[in-house]
Amino acid sequence: MNWKLAGRIFIFLWFFIGGIAHFVIPAQFLHIMPPAIPYPLAIVYISGGFELLGAFGLWVISLRNWAGYGLILLTICVTPANIYMWMHPELFPTIPEWALLLRLPVQAMLIWVIWHSTRRINNLPPSKFSA
């Protein structure tokens, strides 16, 4: 298995499981949302839907680049929740403060994996055998 395929499998699982979780346990996501964000429940459901669309888009070769861009944008859009958690650790007593801080570099690494696992090599058009 090549590293691009391994990256796509990881990204797929990350966003597929996360997307389903948005619909199954929305209260967990509402809890981490900064209070300034309007319509929090709608945002939870919409972001969960986009996570699922992006996850499945990874497997359609003609959509892979766009799915990558979308998942990167979505990952950037959740940054306020990660910053909110880091700035208000007292609201998340079951999570160690170091873990709240670690979410930010993990998010940057996630963006890197998305980018590199959804790009075509040398911008060549995909073949029917592309992984």
Side-chain angles (χ1 to χ4, degrees), residues 36-51:
I37 295 181
Y39 309 107
L41 185 59
I43 297 293
V44 167
Y45 289 139
I46 291 167
S47 61
F50 280 127
E51 286 191 18

PDB file of all heavy atoms in Angstrom, residues 36-51:
ATOM      1  N   ALA A  36     -20.279  32.342  20.701  1.00  0.00           N
ATOM      2  CA  ALA A  36     -20.521  33.405  19.720  1.00  0.00           C
ATOM      3  C   ALA A  36     -21.002  32.874  18.371  1.00  0.00           C
ATOM      4  O   ALA A  36     -21.455  33.645  17.532  1.00  0.00           O
ATOM      5  CB  ALA A  36     -19.250  34.225  19.528  1.00  0.00           C
ATOM      6  N   ILE A  37     -20.904  31.573  18.148  1.00  0.00           N
ATOM      7  CA  ILE A  37     -21.302  31.012  16.863  1.00  0.00           C
ATOM      8  C   ILE A  37     -22.828  30.830  16.838  1.00  0.00           C
ATOM      9  O   ILE A  37     -23.383  30.150  17.700  1.00  0.00           O
ATOM     10  CB  ILE A  37     -20.572  29.687  16.583  1.00  0.00           C
ATOM     11  CG1 ILE A  37     -19.075  29.985  16.449  1.00  0.00           C
ATOM     12  CG2 ILE A  37     -21.115  29.010  15.336  1.00  0.00           C
ATOM     13  CD1 ILE A  37     -18.207  28.805  16.163  1.00  0.00           C
ATOM     14  N   PRO A  38     -23.488  31.438  15.850  1.00  0.00           N
ATOM     15  CA  PRO A  38     -24.952  31.339  15.797  1.00  0.00           C
ATOM     16  C   PRO A  38     -25.416  29.968  15.282  1.00  0.00           C
ATOM     17  O   PRO A  38     -24.676  29.286  14.573  1.00  0.00           O
ATOM     18  CB  PRO A  38     -25.341  32.440  14.809  1.00  0.00           C
ATOM     19  CG  PRO A  38     -24.152  32.583  13.924  1.00  0.00           C
ATOM     20  CD  PRO A  38     -22.946  32.264  14.784  1.00  0.00           C
ATOM     21  N   TYR A  39     -26.628  29.603  15.632  1.00  0.00           N
ATOM     22  CA  TYR A  39     -27.268  28.362  15.179  1.00  0.00           C
ATOM     23  C   TYR A  39     -26.366  27.135  15.374  1.00  0.00           C
ATOM     24  O   TYR A  39     -26.075  26.408  14.423  1.00  0.00           O
ATOM     25  CB  TYR A  39     -27.689  28.477  13.706  1.00  0.00           C
ATOM     26  CG  TYR A  39     -28.480  29.716  13.416  1.00  0.00           C
ATOM     27  CD1 TYR A  39     -27.902  30.775  12.716  1.00  0.00           C
ATOM     28  CD2 TYR A  39     -29.788  29.844  13.872  1.00  0.00           C
ATOM     29  CE1 TYR A  39     -28.621  31.929  12.461  1.00  0.00           C
ATOM     30  CE2 TYR A  39     -30.522  31.002  13.617  1.00  0.00           C
ATOM     31  CZ  TYR A  39     -29.937  32.040  12.913  1.00  0.00           C
ATOM     32  OH  TYR A  39     -30.647  33.174  12.662  1.00  0.00           O
ATOM     33  N   PRO A  40     -25.930  26.900  16.606  1.00  0.00           N
ATOM     34  CA  PRO A  40     -24.946  25.838  16.827  1.00  0.00           C
ATOM     35  C   PRO A  40     -25.412  24.440  16.403  1.00  0.00           C
ATOM     36  O   PRO A  40     -24.624  23.694  15.821  1.00  0.00           O
ATOM     37  CB  PRO A  40     -24.665  25.916  18.324  1.00  0.00           C
ATOM     38  CG  PRO A  40     -25.791  26.691  18.902  1.00  0.00           C
ATOM     39  CD  PRO A  40     -26.318  27.576  17.822  1.00  0.00           C
ATOM     40  N   LEU A  41     -26.662  24.085  16.668  1.00  0.00           N
ATOM     41  CA  LEU A  41     -27.106  22.736  16.290  1.00  0.00           C
ATOM     42  C   LEU A  41     -27.115  22.582  14.772  1.00  0.00           C
ATOM     43  O   LEU A  41     -26.682  21.544  14.247  1.00  0.00           O
ATOM     44  CB  LEU A  41     -28.481  22.427  16.879  1.00  0.00           C
ATOM     45  CG  LEU A  41     -28.977  20.998  16.644  1.00  0.00           C
ATOM     46  CD1 LEU A  41     -28.011  19.970  17.232  1.00  0.00           C
ATOM     47  CD2 LEU A  41     -30.379  20.813  17.221  1.00  0.00           C
ATOM     48  N   ALA A  42     -27.568  23.597  14.072  1.00  0.00           N
ATOM     49  CA  ALA A  42     -27.546  23.542  12.603  1.00  0.00           C
ATOM     50  C   ALA A  42     -26.108  23.407  12.100  1.00  0.00           C
ATOM     51  O   ALA A  42     -25.844  22.619  11.177  1.00  0.00           O
ATOM     52  CB  ALA A  42     -28.202  24.790  12.019  1.00  0.00           C
ATOM     53  N   ILE A  43     -25.184  24.129  12.712  1.00  0.00           N
ATOM     54  CA  ILE A  43     -23.775  24.059  12.314  1.00  0.00           C
ATOM     55  C   ILE A  43     -23.224  22.648  12.548  1.00  0.00           C
ATOM     56  O   ILE A  43     -22.478  22.119  11.721  1.00  0.00           O
ATOM     57  CB  ILE A  43     -22.927  25.103  13.080  1.00  0.00           C
ATOM     58  CG1 ILE A  43     -23.381  26.524  12.745  1.00  0.00           C
ATOM     59  CG2 ILE A  43     -21.440  24.927  12.816  1.00  0.00           C
ATOM     60  CD1 ILE A  43     -23.137  26.964  11.337  1.00  0.00           C
ATOM     61  N   VAL A  44     -23.609  22.028  13.660  1.00  0.00           N
ATOM     62  CA  VAL A  44     -23.155  20.663  13.946  1.00  0.00           C
ATOM     63  C   VAL A  44     -23.628  19.715  12.847  1.00  0.00           C
ATOM     64  O   VAL A  44     -22.858  18.919  12.315  1.00  0.00           O
ATOM     65  CB  VAL A  44     -23.642  20.192  15.336  1.00  0.00           C
ATOM     66  CG1 VAL A  44     -23.451  18.698  15.518  1.00  0.00           C
ATOM     67  CG2 VAL A  44     -22.914  20.953  16.438  1.00  0.00           C
ATOM     68  N   TYR A  45     -24.906  19.800  12.497  1.00  0.00           N
ATOM     69  CA  TYR A  45     -25.445  18.903  11.469  1.00  0.00           C
ATOM     70  C   TYR A  45     -24.862  19.197  10.089  1.00  0.00           C
ATOM     71  O   TYR A  45     -24.511  18.273   9.340  1.00  0.00           O
ATOM     72  CB  TYR A  45     -26.967  18.981  11.426  1.00  0.00           C
ATOM     73  CG  TYR A  45     -27.635  18.349  12.623  1.00  0.00           C
ATOM     74  CD1 TYR A  45     -28.726  18.951  13.225  1.00  0.00           C
ATOM     75  CD2 TYR A  45     -27.191  17.143  13.152  1.00  0.00           C
ATOM     76  CE1 TYR A  45     -29.360  18.378  14.325  1.00  0.00           C
ATOM     77  CE2 TYR A  45     -27.803  16.563  14.249  1.00  0.00           C
ATOM     78  CZ  TYR A  45     -28.889  17.179  14.829  1.00  0.00           C
ATOM     79  OH  TYR A  45     -29.497  16.600  15.908  1.00  0.00           O
ATOM     80  N   ILE A  46     -24.728  20.470   9.752  1.00  0.00           N
ATOM     81  CA  ILE A  46     -24.174  20.836   8.444  1.00  0.00           C
ATOM     82  C   ILE A  46     -22.722  20.375   8.336  1.00  0.00           C
ATOM     83  O   ILE A  46     -22.316  19.792   7.325  1.00  0.00           O
ATOM     84  CB  ILE A  46     -24.298  22.358   8.207  1.00  0.00           C
ATOM     85  CG1 ILE A  46     -25.771  22.727   8.017  1.00  0.00           C
ATOM     86  CG2 ILE A  46     -23.450  22.810   7.019  1.00  0.00           C
ATOM     87  CD1 ILE A  46     -26.049  24.220   8.088  1.00  0.00           C
ATOM     88  N   SER A  47     -21.935  20.616   9.385  1.00  0.00           N
ATOM     89  CA  SER A  47     -20.526  20.201   9.326  1.00  0.00           C
ATOM     90  C   SER A  47     -20.412  18.680   9.271  1.00  0.00           C
ATOM     91  O   SER A  47     -19.549  18.147   8.569  1.00  0.00           O
ATOM     92  CB  SER A  47     -19.733  20.787  10.491  1.00  0.00           C
ATOM     93  OG  SER A  47     -20.243  20.343  11.730  1.00  0.00           O
ATOM     94  N   GLY A  48     -21.294  17.981   9.978  1.00  0.00           N
ATOM     95  CA  GLY A  48     -21.295  16.514   9.902  1.00  0.00           C
ATOM     96  C   GLY A  48     -21.608  16.034   8.492  1.00  0.00           C
ATOM     97  O   GLY A  48     -20.979  15.093   7.985  1.00  0.00           O
ATOM     98  N   GLY A  49     -22.565  16.683   7.846  1.00  0.00           N
ATOM     99  CA  GLY A  49     -22.888  16.332   6.463  1.00  0.00           C
ATOM    100  C   GLY A  49     -21.715  16.575   5.527  1.00  0.00           C
ATOM    101  O   GLY A  49     -21.409  15.736   4.660  1.00  0.00           O
ATOM    102  N   PHE A  50     -21.036  17.701   5.700  1.00  0.00           N
ATOM    103  CA  PHE A  50     -19.867  17.987   4.866  1.00  0.00           C
ATOM    104  C   PHE A  50     -18.720  17.013   5.147  1.00  0.00           C
ATOM    105  O   PHE A  50     -17.967  16.659   4.237  1.00  0.00           O
ATOM    106  CB  PHE A  50     -19.404  19.432   5.026  1.00  0.00           C
ATOM    107  CG  PHE A  50     -20.219  20.412   4.237  1.00  0.00           C
ATOM    108  CD1 PHE A  50     -20.781  21.509   4.851  1.00  0.00           C
ATOM    109  CD2 PHE A  50     -20.428  20.243   2.879  1.00  0.00           C
ATOM    110  CE1 PHE A  50     -21.546  22.420   4.131  1.00  0.00           C
ATOM    111  CE2 PHE A  50     -21.184  21.135   2.135  1.00  0.00           C
ATOM    112  CZ  PHE A  50     -21.748  22.232   2.775  1.00  0.00           C
ATOM    113  N   GLU A  51     -18.573  16.580   6.389  1.00  0.00           N
ATOM    114  CA  GLU A  51     -17.548  15.578   6.690  1.00  0.00           C
ATOM    115  C   GLU A  51     -17.820  14.295   5.918  1.00  0.00           C
ATOM    116  O   GLU A  51     -16.906  13.697   5.340  1.00  0.00           O
ATOM    117  CB  GLU A  51     -17.482  15.300   8.195  1.00  0.00           C
ATOM    118  CG  GLU A  51     -16.842  16.417   8.979  1.00  0.00           C
ATOM    119  CD  GLU A  51     -16.544  16.050  10.417  1.00  0.00           C
ATOM    120  OE1 GLU A  51     -16.509  14.845  10.746  1.00  0.00           O
ATOM    121  OE2 GLU A  51     -16.334  16.964  11.224  1.00  0.00           O
TER     122      GLU A  51
END
